[in-house]
Structure formats: structure tokens, C-alpha cells
Amino acid sequence: YLVGPDDIVSRQGVEIGVTIDGLTEVLKGIDENSVVIVDGILRARPGAPVTPEIVGLKEAMERIDPGSKIAETP
């Protein structure tokens, strides 16, 4: 799910590539400016308003998988 500029949740299909060390390459559907929901996904509903908290990759990985290699990198 994505968060639009109006803080409304929308579903976005993606085309994926390879997965390495738990990270999956996204080929189409989102870009580096997309706000993607990674925590609280079970509460997200398309069309619903949200109050996003923008975090970097390292912090997001720490929240969803504390043992991940990305979370451990300095």
C-alpha cells in the first residue's frame, strides 16, 4: 500500500525482480519518492486517511525485522 500526497491509502501493484538478503527489487509500480506502508499494514485500508511517519530504510527494517542485515549495518 502507498500513502498519497493527501495522506490517503491506496493499493499499488508492482512488478518485482530478484530478492537478495531479504530485500526485493521493485522494477515497476513505485519509485524512490513513493511513501510505502511497512509497519501497521494490517490496519491500512484503501481510501482511509493515515498519519504517516516517514523513516529511512534502516529504521523501517529494524521495526519490521530487528534481526535483518540491513538493520545491523552502521
Side-chain angles (χ1 to χ4, degrees), residues 9-45:
V9 175
S10 66
R11 184 177 166 106
Q12 175 63 47
V14 295
E15 181 180 322
I16 60 170
V18 298
T19 298
I20 300 172
D21 291 332
L23 297 176
T24 301
E25 175 185 35
V26 177
L27 302 173
K28 293 181 183 175
I30 61 172
D31 62 26
E32 64 274 0
N33 297 315
S34 299
V35 178
V36 180
I37 298 175
V38 296
D39 188 26
I41 192 72
L42 295 177
R43 296 184 306 272
R45 300 287 181 261

PDB file of all heavy atoms in Angstrom, residues 9-45:
ATOM      1  N   VAL A   9      -4.603   6.175   1.877  1.00  0.00           N
ATOM      2  CA  VAL A   9      -4.015   4.897   1.491  1.00  0.00           C
ATOM      3  C   VAL A   9      -4.565   4.455   0.137  1.00  0.00           C
ATOM      4  O   VAL A   9      -5.757   4.574  -0.126  1.00  0.00           O
ATOM      5  CB  VAL A   9      -4.333   3.815   2.548  1.00  0.00           C
ATOM      6  CG1 VAL A   9      -3.824   2.449   2.108  1.00  0.00           C
ATOM      7  CG2 VAL A   9      -3.753   4.191   3.894  1.00  0.00           C
ATOM      8  N   SER A  10      -3.665   3.931  -0.706  1.00  0.00           N
ATOM      9  CA  SER A  10      -4.090   3.327  -1.968  1.00  0.00           C
ATOM     10  C   SER A  10      -3.289   2.053  -2.208  1.00  0.00           C
ATOM     11  O   SER A  10      -2.174   1.907  -1.729  1.00  0.00           O
ATOM     12  CB  SER A  10      -3.912   4.297  -3.141  1.00  0.00           C
ATOM     13  OG  SER A  10      -2.542   4.568  -3.353  1.00  0.00           O
ATOM     14  N   ARG A  11      -3.908   1.148  -2.920  1.00  0.00           N
ATOM     15  CA  ARG A  11      -3.234  -0.099  -3.271  1.00  0.00           C
ATOM     16  C   ARG A  11      -2.485   0.119  -4.579  1.00  0.00           C
ATOM     17  O   ARG A  11      -3.015   0.733  -5.503  1.00  0.00           O
ATOM     18  CB  ARG A  11      -4.265  -1.208  -3.424  1.00  0.00           C
ATOM     19  CG  ARG A  11      -3.672  -2.551  -3.687  1.00  0.00           C
ATOM     20  CD  ARG A  11      -4.797  -3.585  -3.753  1.00  0.00           C
ATOM     21  NE  ARG A  11      -4.298  -4.803  -4.319  1.00  0.00           N
ATOM     22  CZ  ARG A  11      -4.056  -5.901  -3.616  1.00  0.00           C
ATOM     23  NH1 ARG A  11      -4.307  -5.925  -2.336  1.00  0.00           N
ATOM     24  NH2 ARG A  11      -3.593  -6.977  -4.199  1.00  0.00           N
ATOM     25  N   GLN A  12      -1.259  -0.369  -4.663  1.00  0.00           N
ATOM     26  CA  GLN A  12      -0.465  -0.191  -5.870  1.00  0.00           C
ATOM     27  C   GLN A  12       0.185  -1.508  -6.251  1.00  0.00           C
ATOM     28  O   GLN A  12       0.933  -2.077  -5.457  1.00  0.00           O
ATOM     29  CB  GLN A  12       0.624   0.869  -5.633  1.00  0.00           C
ATOM     30  CG  GLN A  12       1.580   1.049  -6.778  1.00  0.00           C
ATOM     31  CD  GLN A  12       0.900   1.556  -8.032  1.00  0.00           C
ATOM     32  OE1 GLN A  12       0.118   2.504  -7.971  1.00  0.00           O
ATOM     33  NE2 GLN A  12       1.165   0.938  -9.149  1.00  0.00           N
ATOM     34  N   GLY A  13      -0.107  -1.987  -7.431  1.00  0.00           N
ATOM     35  CA  GLY A  13       0.546  -3.185  -7.923  1.00  0.00           C
ATOM     36  C   GLY A  13       1.985  -2.874  -8.306  1.00  0.00           C
ATOM     37  O   GLY A  13       2.297  -1.756  -8.713  1.00  0.00           O
ATOM     38  N   VAL A  14       2.850  -3.844  -8.141  1.00  0.00           N
ATOM     39  CA  VAL A  14       4.254  -3.669  -8.501  1.00  0.00           C
ATOM     40  C   VAL A  14       4.734  -4.888  -9.279  1.00  0.00           C
ATOM     41  O   VAL A  14       4.168  -5.972  -9.177  1.00  0.00           O
ATOM     42  CB  VAL A  14       5.164  -3.462  -7.264  1.00  0.00           C
ATOM     43  CG1 VAL A  14       4.826  -2.174  -6.553  1.00  0.00           C
ATOM     44  CG2 VAL A  14       5.103  -4.633  -6.318  1.00  0.00           C
ATOM     45  N   GLU A  15       5.792  -4.689 -10.052  1.00  0.00           N
ATOM     46  CA  GLU A  15       6.484  -5.786 -10.713  1.00  0.00           C
ATOM     47  C   GLU A  15       7.803  -5.956  -9.975  1.00  0.00           C
ATOM     48  O   GLU A  15       8.556  -4.990  -9.834  1.00  0.00           O
ATOM     49  CB  GLU A  15       6.741  -5.452 -12.179  1.00  0.00           C
ATOM     50  CG  GLU A  15       7.429  -6.556 -12.941  1.00  0.00           C
ATOM     51  CD  GLU A  15       7.659  -6.191 -14.400  1.00  0.00           C
ATOM     52  OE1 GLU A  15       6.780  -5.544 -15.003  1.00  0.00           O
ATOM     53  OE2 GLU A  15       8.735  -6.545 -14.914  1.00  0.00           O
ATOM     54  N   ILE A  16       8.056  -7.171  -9.483  1.00  0.00           N
ATOM     55  CA  ILE A  16       9.254  -7.385  -8.683  1.00  0.00           C
ATOM     56  C   ILE A  16      10.320  -8.136  -9.463  1.00  0.00           C
ATOM     57  O   ILE A  16      10.038  -8.845 -10.420  1.00  0.00           O
ATOM     58  CB  ILE A  16       8.937  -8.117  -7.367  1.00  0.00           C
ATOM     59  CG1 ILE A  16       8.319  -9.489  -7.623  1.00  0.00           C
ATOM     60  CG2 ILE A  16       8.027  -7.268  -6.498  1.00  0.00           C
ATOM     61  CD1 ILE A  16       8.199 -10.339  -6.380  1.00  0.00           C
ATOM     62  N   GLY A  17      11.558  -7.940  -8.997  1.00  0.00           N
ATOM     63  CA  GLY A  17      12.704  -8.629  -9.579  1.00  0.00           C
ATOM     64  C   GLY A  17      13.256  -9.630  -8.587  1.00  0.00           C
ATOM     65  O   GLY A  17      12.518 -10.357  -7.938  1.00  0.00           O
ATOM     66  N   VAL A  18      14.552  -9.611  -8.416  1.00  0.00           N
ATOM     67  CA  VAL A  18      15.226 -10.582  -7.549  1.00  0.00           C
ATOM     68  C   VAL A  18      15.158 -10.155  -6.087  1.00  0.00           C
ATOM     69  O   VAL A  18      14.967  -8.986  -5.769  1.00  0.00           O
ATOM     70  CB  VAL A  18      16.702 -10.767  -7.969  1.00  0.00           C
ATOM     71  CG1 VAL A  18      16.796 -11.308  -9.370  1.00  0.00           C
ATOM     72  CG2 VAL A  18      17.480  -9.474  -7.831  1.00  0.00           C
ATOM     73  N   THR A  19      15.337 -11.142  -5.191  1.00  0.00           N
ATOM     74  CA  THR A  19      15.412 -10.891  -3.762  1.00  0.00           C
ATOM     75  C   THR A  19      16.799 -11.300  -3.287  1.00  0.00           C
ATOM     76  O   THR A  19      17.249 -12.408  -3.557  1.00  0.00           O
ATOM     77  CB  THR A  19      14.346 -11.695  -2.993  1.00  0.00           C
ATOM     78  OG1 THR A  19      13.057 -11.279  -3.442  1.00  0.00           O
ATOM     79  CG2 THR A  19      14.454 -11.481  -1.494  1.00  0.00           C
ATOM     80  N   ILE A  20      17.470 -10.377  -2.592  1.00  0.00           N
ATOM     81  CA  ILE A  20      18.800 -10.631  -2.048  1.00  0.00           C
ATOM     82  C   ILE A  20      18.823 -10.137  -0.614  1.00  0.00           C
ATOM     83  O   ILE A  20      18.466  -8.994  -0.336  1.00  0.00           O
ATOM     84  CB  ILE A  20      19.893  -9.912  -2.863  1.00  0.00           C
ATOM     85  CG1 ILE A  20      19.886 -10.397  -4.310  1.00  0.00           C
ATOM     86  CG2 ILE A  20      21.265 -10.113  -2.230  1.00  0.00           C
ATOM     87  CD1 ILE A  20      20.798  -9.620  -5.235  1.00  0.00           C
ATOM     88  N   ASP A  21      19.251 -10.999   0.308  1.00  0.00           N
ATOM     89  CA  ASP A  21      19.340 -10.654   1.729  1.00  0.00           C
ATOM     90  C   ASP A  21      18.048 -10.062   2.273  1.00  0.00           C
ATOM     91  O   ASP A  21      18.051  -9.113   3.053  1.00  0.00           O
ATOM     92  CB  ASP A  21      20.503  -9.697   1.993  1.00  0.00           C
ATOM     93  CG  ASP A  21      21.857 -10.344   1.815  1.00  0.00           C
ATOM     94  OD1 ASP A  21      21.963 -11.575   2.007  1.00  0.00           O
ATOM     95  OD2 ASP A  21      22.819  -9.637   1.490  1.00  0.00           O
ATOM     96  N   GLY A  22      16.910 -10.598   1.837  1.00  0.00           N
ATOM     97  CA  GLY A  22      15.622 -10.154   2.355  1.00  0.00           C
ATOM     98  C   GLY A  22      15.066  -8.905   1.699  1.00  0.00           C
ATOM     99  O   GLY A  22      13.974  -8.465   2.042  1.00  0.00           O
ATOM    100  N   LEU A  23      15.788  -8.317   0.762  1.00  0.00           N
ATOM    101  CA  LEU A  23      15.303  -7.132   0.054  1.00  0.00           C
ATOM    102  C   LEU A  23      14.913  -7.524  -1.362  1.00  0.00           C
ATOM    103  O   LEU A  23      15.679  -8.185  -2.066  1.00  0.00           O
ATOM    104  CB  LEU A  23      16.376  -6.041  -0.002  1.00  0.00           C
ATOM    105  CG  LEU A  23      16.812  -5.480   1.340  1.00  0.00           C
ATOM    106  CD1 LEU A  23      17.947  -4.475   1.138  1.00  0.00           C
ATOM    107  CD2 LEU A  23      15.657  -4.815   2.043  1.00  0.00           C
ATOM    108  N   THR A  24      13.717  -7.122  -1.769  1.00  0.00           N
ATOM    109  CA  THR A  24      13.220  -7.473  -3.097  1.00  0.00           C
ATOM    110  C   THR A  24      13.250  -6.241  -3.989  1.00  0.00           C
ATOM    111  O   THR A  24      12.755  -5.178  -3.627  1.00  0.00           O
ATOM    112  CB  THR A  24      11.784  -8.021  -3.010  1.00  0.00           C
ATOM    113  OG1 THR A  24      11.790  -9.170  -2.159  1.00  0.00           O
ATOM    114  CG2 THR A  24      11.261  -8.419  -4.368  1.00  0.00           C
ATOM    115  N   GLU A  25      13.824  -6.418  -5.159  1.00  0.00           N
ATOM    116  CA  GLU A  25      13.906  -5.348  -6.153  1.00  0.00           C
ATOM    117  C   GLU A  25      12.517  -5.076  -6.719  1.00  0.00           C
ATOM    118  O   GLU A  25      11.793  -6.006  -7.075  1.00  0.00           O
ATOM    119  CB  GLU A  25      14.857  -5.795  -7.255  1.00  0.00           C
ATOM    120  CG  GLU A  25      14.965  -4.870  -8.423  1.00  0.00           C
ATOM    121  CD  GLU A  25      15.846  -5.458  -9.513  1.00  0.00           C
ATOM    122  OE1 GLU A  25      15.846  -6.685  -9.725  1.00  0.00           O
ATOM    123  OE2 GLU A  25      16.535  -4.655 -10.163  1.00  0.00           O
ATOM    124  N   VAL A  26      12.125  -3.806  -6.793  1.00  0.00           N
ATOM    125  CA  VAL A  26      10.860  -3.415  -7.411  1.00  0.00           C
ATOM    126  C   VAL A  26      11.184  -2.786  -8.750  1.00  0.00           C
ATOM    127  O   VAL A  26      11.877  -1.766  -8.827  1.00  0.00           O
ATOM    128  CB  VAL A  26      10.065  -2.429  -6.522  1.00  0.00           C
ATOM    129  CG1 VAL A  26       8.794  -1.993  -7.227  1.00  0.00           C
ATOM    130  CG2 VAL A  26       9.743  -3.065  -5.177  1.00  0.00           C
ATOM    131  N   LEU A  27      10.702  -3.397  -9.822  1.00  0.00           N
ATOM    132  CA  LEU A  27      11.012  -2.940 -11.171  1.00  0.00           C
ATOM    133  C   LEU A  27      10.037  -1.874 -11.669  1.00  0.00           C
ATOM    134  O   LEU A  27      10.438  -0.950 -12.367  1.00  0.00           O
ATOM    135  CB  LEU A  27      11.011  -4.128 -12.134  1.00  0.00           C
ATOM    136  CG  LEU A  27      11.981  -5.264 -11.791  1.00  0.00           C
ATOM    137  CD1 LEU A  27      11.755  -6.450 -12.719  1.00  0.00           C
ATOM    138  CD2 LEU A  27      13.413  -4.782 -11.847  1.00  0.00           C
ATOM    139  N   LYS A  28       8.755  -2.032 -11.329  1.00  0.00           N
ATOM    140  CA  LYS A  28       7.722  -1.092 -11.789  1.00  0.00           C
ATOM    141  C   LYS A  28       6.668  -0.925 -10.710  1.00  0.00           C
ATOM    142  O   LYS A  28       6.423  -1.838  -9.928  1.00  0.00           O
ATOM    143  CB  LYS A  28       7.032  -1.609 -13.052  1.00  0.00           C
ATOM    144  CG  LYS A  28       7.903  -1.671 -14.269  1.00  0.00           C
ATOM    145  CD  LYS A  28       7.098  -2.168 -15.456  1.00  0.00           C
ATOM    146  CE  LYS A  28       7.989  -2.297 -16.683  1.00  0.00           C
ATOM    147  NZ  LYS A  28       7.249  -2.891 -17.802  1.00  0.00           N
ATOM    148  N   GLY A  29       6.029   0.237 -10.681  1.00  0.00           N
ATOM    149  CA  GLY A  29       4.898   0.456  -9.791  1.00  0.00           C
ATOM    150  C   GLY A  29       5.143   1.511  -8.732  1.00  0.00           C
ATOM    151  O   GLY A  29       4.223   2.214  -8.339  1.00  0.00           O
ATOM    152  N   ILE A  30       6.381   1.594  -8.227  1.00  0.00           N
ATOM    153  CA  ILE A  30       6.743   2.634  -7.259  1.00  0.00           C
ATOM    154  C   ILE A  30       8.133   3.140  -7.603  1.00  0.00           C
ATOM    155  O   ILE A  30       8.878   2.503  -8.341  1.00  0.00           O
ATOM    156  CB  ILE A  30       6.700   2.143  -5.795  1.00  0.00           C
ATOM    157  CG1 ILE A  30       7.685   1.001  -5.565  1.00  0.00           C
ATOM    158  CG2 ILE A  30       5.291   1.745  -5.389  1.00  0.00           C
ATOM    159  CD1 ILE A  30       7.840   0.585  -4.114  1.00  0.00           C
ATOM    160  N   ASP A  31       8.470   4.293  -7.059  1.00  0.00           N
ATOM    161  CA  ASP A  31       9.815   4.830  -7.247  1.00  0.00           C
ATOM    162  C   ASP A  31      10.351   5.332  -5.917  1.00  0.00           C
ATOM    163  O   ASP A  31       9.718   5.157  -4.871  1.00  0.00           O
ATOM    164  CB  ASP A  31       9.830   5.925  -8.311  1.00  0.00           C
ATOM    165  CG  ASP A  31       8.973   7.138  -7.962  1.00  0.00           C
ATOM    166  OD1 ASP A  31       8.751   7.409  -6.757  1.00  0.00           O
ATOM    167  OD2 ASP A  31       8.526   7.835  -8.883  1.00  0.00           O
ATOM    168  N   GLU A  32      11.516   5.960  -5.940  1.00  0.00           N
ATOM    169  CA  GLU A  32      12.174   6.396  -4.701  1.00  0.00           C
ATOM    170  C   GLU A  32      11.407   7.477  -3.947  1.00  0.00           C
ATOM    171  O   GLU A  32      11.682   7.730  -2.778  1.00  0.00           O
ATOM    172  CB  GLU A  32      13.611   6.863  -4.979  1.00  0.00           C
ATOM    173  CG  GLU A  32      13.710   8.088  -5.856  1.00  0.00           C
ATOM    174  CD  GLU A  32      13.706   7.804  -7.349  1.00  0.00           C
ATOM    175  OE1 GLU A  32      13.629   6.630  -7.758  1.00  0.00           O
ATOM    176  OE2 GLU A  32      13.758   8.775  -8.116  1.00  0.00           O
ATOM    177  N   ASN A  33      10.442   8.098  -4.586  1.00  0.00           N
ATOM    178  CA  ASN A  33       9.644   9.133  -3.922  1.00  0.00           C
ATOM    179  C   ASN A  33       8.339   8.596  -3.343  1.00  0.00           C
ATOM    180  O   ASN A  33       7.598   9.333  -2.693  1.00  0.00           O
ATOM    181  CB  ASN A  33       9.349  10.272  -4.893  1.00  0.00           C
ATOM    182  CG  ASN A  33      10.613  10.960  -5.329  1.00  0.00           C
ATOM    183  OD1 ASN A  33      11.481  11.267  -4.517  1.00  0.00           O
ATOM    184  ND2 ASN A  33      10.761  11.183  -6.625  1.00  0.00           N
ATOM    185  N   SER A  34       8.035   7.332  -3.582  1.00  0.00           N
ATOM    186  CA  SER A  34       6.793   6.730  -3.080  1.00  0.00           C
ATOM    187  C   SER A  34       6.867   6.539  -1.576  1.00  0.00           C
ATOM    188  O   SER A  34       7.906   6.177  -1.033  1.00  0.00           O
ATOM    189  CB  SER A  34       6.560   5.372  -3.746  1.00  0.00           C
ATOM    190  OG  SER A  34       6.421   5.505  -5.142  1.00  0.00           O
ATOM    191  N   VAL A  35       5.750   6.791  -0.896  1.00  0.00           N
ATOM    192  CA  VAL A  35       5.643   6.544   0.538  1.00  0.00           C
ATOM    193  C   VAL A  35       4.912   5.218   0.686  1.00  0.00           C
ATOM    194  O   VAL A  35       3.717   5.107   0.389  1.00  0.00           O
ATOM    195  CB  VAL A  35       4.890   7.679   1.259  1.00  0.00           C
ATOM    196  CG1 VAL A  35       4.741   7.370   2.744  1.00  0.00           C
ATOM    197  CG2 VAL A  35       5.622   9.006   1.057  1.00  0.00           C
ATOM    198  N   VAL A  36       5.652   4.194   1.116  1.00  0.00           N
ATOM    199  CA  VAL A  36       5.155   2.829   1.196  1.00  0.00           C
ATOM    200  C   VAL A  36       4.910   2.462   2.651  1.00  0.00           C
ATOM    201  O   VAL A  36       5.736   2.728   3.517  1.00  0.00           O
ATOM    202  CB  VAL A  36       6.183   1.852   0.585  1.00  0.00           C
ATOM    203  CG1 VAL A  36       5.690   0.424   0.662  1.00  0.00           C
ATOM    204  CG2 VAL A  36       6.499   2.246  -0.846  1.00  0.00           C
ATOM    205  N   ILE A  37       3.781   1.841   2.937  1.00  0.00           N
ATOM    206  CA  ILE A  37       3.480   1.420   4.303  1.00  0.00           C
ATOM    207  C   ILE A  37       4.225   0.120   4.592  1.00  0.00           C
ATOM    208  O   ILE A  37       4.058  -0.869   3.878  1.00  0.00           O
ATOM    209  CB  ILE A  37       1.970   1.226   4.499  1.00  0.00           C
ATOM    210  CG1 ILE A  37       1.248   2.551   4.269  1.00  0.00           C
ATOM    211  CG2 ILE A  37       1.673   0.667   5.895  1.00  0.00           C
ATOM    212  CD1 ILE A  37      -0.259   2.456   4.323  1.00  0.00           C
ATOM    213  N   VAL A  38       5.056   0.132   5.628  1.00  0.00           N
ATOM    214  CA  VAL A  38       5.802  -1.068   6.015  1.00  0.00           C
ATOM    215  C   VAL A  38       5.480  -1.521   7.434  1.00  0.00           C
ATOM    216  O   VAL A  38       5.791  -2.641   7.802  1.00  0.00           O
ATOM    217  CB  VAL A  38       7.334  -0.872   5.873  1.00  0.00           C
ATOM    218  CG1 VAL A  38       7.708  -0.640   4.426  1.00  0.00           C
ATOM    219  CG2 VAL A  38       7.836   0.254   6.750  1.00  0.00           C
ATOM    220  N   ASP A  39       4.890  -0.668   8.235  1.00  0.00           N
ATOM    221  CA  ASP A  39       4.533  -1.008   9.611  1.00  0.00           C
ATOM    222  C   ASP A  39       3.068  -0.620   9.804  1.00  0.00           C
ATOM    223  O   ASP A  39       2.659   0.478   9.419  1.00  0.00           O
ATOM    224  CB  ASP A  39       5.433  -0.246  10.584  1.00  0.00           C
ATOM    225  CG  ASP A  39       5.258  -0.684  12.029  1.00  0.00           C
ATOM    226  OD1 ASP A  39       4.851  -1.838  12.252  1.00  0.00           O
ATOM    227  OD2 ASP A  39       5.534   0.125  12.930  1.00  0.00           O
ATOM    228  N   GLY A  40       2.283  -1.511  10.349  1.00  0.00           N
ATOM    229  CA  GLY A  40       0.857  -1.240  10.521  1.00  0.00           C
ATOM    230  C   GLY A  40       0.054  -1.606   9.290  1.00  0.00           C
ATOM    231  O   GLY A  40      -1.079  -1.155   9.122  1.00  0.00           O
ATOM    232  N   ILE A  41       0.615  -2.449   8.431  1.00  0.00           N
ATOM    233  CA  ILE A  41      -0.041  -2.809   7.180  1.00  0.00           C
ATOM    234  C   ILE A  41      -1.390  -3.490   7.403  1.00  0.00           C
ATOM    235  O   ILE A  41      -2.306  -3.339   6.598  1.00  0.00           O
ATOM    236  CB  ILE A  41       0.897  -3.683   6.310  1.00  0.00           C
ATOM    237  CG1 ILE A  41       0.368  -3.818   4.889  1.00  0.00           C
ATOM    238  CG2 ILE A  41       1.129  -5.043   6.920  1.00  0.00           C
ATOM    239  CD1 ILE A  41       0.469  -2.601   4.067  1.00  0.00           C
ATOM    240  N   LEU A  42      -1.555  -4.209   8.505  1.00  0.00           N
ATOM    241  CA  LEU A  42      -2.829  -4.883   8.759  1.00  0.00           C
ATOM    242  C   LEU A  42      -3.952  -3.909   9.075  1.00  0.00           C
ATOM    243  O   LEU A  42      -5.132  -4.238   8.930  1.00  0.00           O
ATOM    244  CB  LEU A  42      -2.680  -5.899   9.899  1.00  0.00           C
ATOM    245  CG  LEU A  42      -1.748  -7.073   9.608  1.00  0.00           C
ATOM    246  CD1 LEU A  42      -1.629  -7.969  10.840  1.00  0.00           C
ATOM    247  CD2 LEU A  42      -2.229  -7.860   8.417  1.00  0.00           C
ATOM    248  N   ARG A  43      -3.606  -2.693   9.486  1.00  0.00           N
ATOM    249  CA  ARG A  43      -4.622  -1.680   9.780  1.00  0.00           C
ATOM    250  C   ARG A  43      -4.910  -0.772   8.588  1.00  0.00           C
ATOM    251  O   ARG A  43      -5.870  -0.008   8.600  1.00  0.00           O
ATOM    252  CB  ARG A  43      -4.180  -0.836  10.979  1.00  0.00           C
ATOM    253  CG  ARG A  43      -4.074  -1.634  12.271  1.00  0.00           C
ATOM    254  CD  ARG A  43      -3.724  -0.767  13.466  1.00  0.00           C
ATOM    255  NE  ARG A  43      -2.539   0.045  13.290  1.00  0.00           N
ATOM    256  CZ  ARG A  43      -1.288  -0.334  13.571  1.00  0.00           C
ATOM    257  NH1 ARG A  43      -1.063  -1.541  14.032  1.00  0.00           N
ATOM    258  NH2 ARG A  43      -0.273   0.479  13.406  1.00  0.00           N
ATOM    259  N   ALA A  44      -4.078  -0.835   7.562  1.00  0.00           N
ATOM    260  CA  ALA A  44      -4.227   0.038   6.393  1.00  0.00           C
ATOM    261  C   ALA A  44      -5.377  -0.437   5.513  1.00  0.00           C
ATOM    262  O   ALA A  44      -5.512  -1.631   5.254  1.00  0.00           O
ATOM    263  CB  ALA A  44      -2.937   0.068   5.587  1.00  0.00           C
ATOM    264  N   ARG A  45      -6.194   0.483   5.075  1.00  0.00           N
ATOM    265  CA  ARG A  45      -7.320   0.181   4.185  1.00  0.00           C
ATOM    266  C   ARG A  45      -7.331   1.200   3.052  1.00  0.00           C
ATOM    267  O   ARG A  45      -7.262   2.416   3.308  1.00  0.00           O
ATOM    268  CB  ARG A  45      -8.658   0.282   4.927  1.00  0.00           C
ATOM    269  CG  ARG A  45      -8.809  -0.667   6.102  1.00  0.00           C
ATOM    270  CD  ARG A  45      -9.003  -2.100   5.618  1.00  0.00           C
ATOM    271  NE  ARG A  45      -9.164  -3.026   6.715  1.00  0.00           N
ATOM    272  CZ  ARG A  45      -8.205  -3.788   7.209  1.00  0.00           C
ATOM    273  NH1 ARG A  45      -6.986  -3.707   6.736  1.00  0.00           N
ATOM    274  NH2 ARG A  45      -8.433  -4.635   8.185  1.00  0.00           N
TER     275      ARG A  45
END
